[in-house]
Amino acid sequence: VEDNPFMQFGRKWEPFIARWVQAETGILHSTWLIASADDPTFAATPDGLALDHTLTAEIKTSGKPLDKVPAQYRRQVQWQLFVTGAEKCAFTWFLRGEDFQPAELEPHMQWIGRDEKEIKRLITVAERLRETLCLDSI
């Protein structure tokens, strides 16, 4: 993916947002690729992880308010909760102004809990994808 100003804004502000998340929740910033204990071919990269692995964080930046967490982010969070074994995620977003400067002083945060039905569906999709790509021998 070619770098663009939207991605640059997100990378620039993620450490600030992560410090805010840690102050609010105790969740530490993470850049790790974490493999599932159940199946190491299933992995995720949560933006934050509590030391006891019961909580994760996902950080986004947006040019418009996220009154409702978009479906693709909800799926991403559910996959992360599955992989890490966590119970809930601090979904955090930071509003970007038109001039690529922060539009507000603080991020917004919403807790998202585990959805076992969605996790089961995501596992099924991942297993089908792995079969289609002939990755069973990994």
Side-chain angles (χ1 to χ4, degrees):
V1 175
E2 191 171 327
D3 200 24
N4 62 52
F6 303 97
M7 295 166 63
Q8 291 170 3
F9 180 86
R11 273 196 312 281
K12 176 181 178 180
W13 287 97
E14 185 170 315
F16 160 77
I17 302 164
R19 284 191 301 275
W20 183 89
V21 169
Q22 183 177 353
E24 293 291 316
T25 67
I27 299 170
L28 302 172
H29 189 224
S30 174
T31 58
W32 298 347
L33 173 66
I34 300 171
S36 168
D38 296 332
D39 184 332
T41 64
F42 293 156
T45 55
D47 293 323
L49 186 62
L51 290 175
D52 64 2
H53 289 212
T54 60
L55 304 172
T56 64
E58 183 57 32
I59 296 170
K60 300 294 183 192
T61 58
S62 177
K64 60 182 180 181
L66 298 179
D67 300 325
K68 181 178 176 188
V69 179
Q72 71 270 25
Y73 296 155
R74 291 190 79 73
R75 288 189 295 269
Q76 179 184 13
V77 164
Q78 291 304 319
W79 185 258
Q80 291 172 358
L81 293 174
F82 158 65
V83 167
T84 63
E87 290 302 315
K88 61 184 181 175
C89 174
F91 181 82
T92 307
W93 60 272
F94 192 50
L95 191 59
R96 176 189 68 247
E98 291 182 24
D99 58 355
F100 289 94
Q101 294 298 317
E104 298 177 327
L105 295 177
E106 288 191 330
H108 300 264
M109 186 179 71
Q110 175 183 341
W111 287 102
I112 300 175
R114 285 179 75 96
D115 179 341
E116 295 300 336
K117 184 177 177 182
E118 181 65 10
I119 288 171
K120 185 176 179 180
R121 192 186 72 72
L122 292 169
I123 292 169
T124 300
V125 170
E127 288 172 341
R128 263 192 264 147
L129 178 62
R130 184 170 51 195
E131 289 171 15
T132 300
L133 298 175
C134 301
L135 298 176
D136 290 332
S137 60
I138 292 181

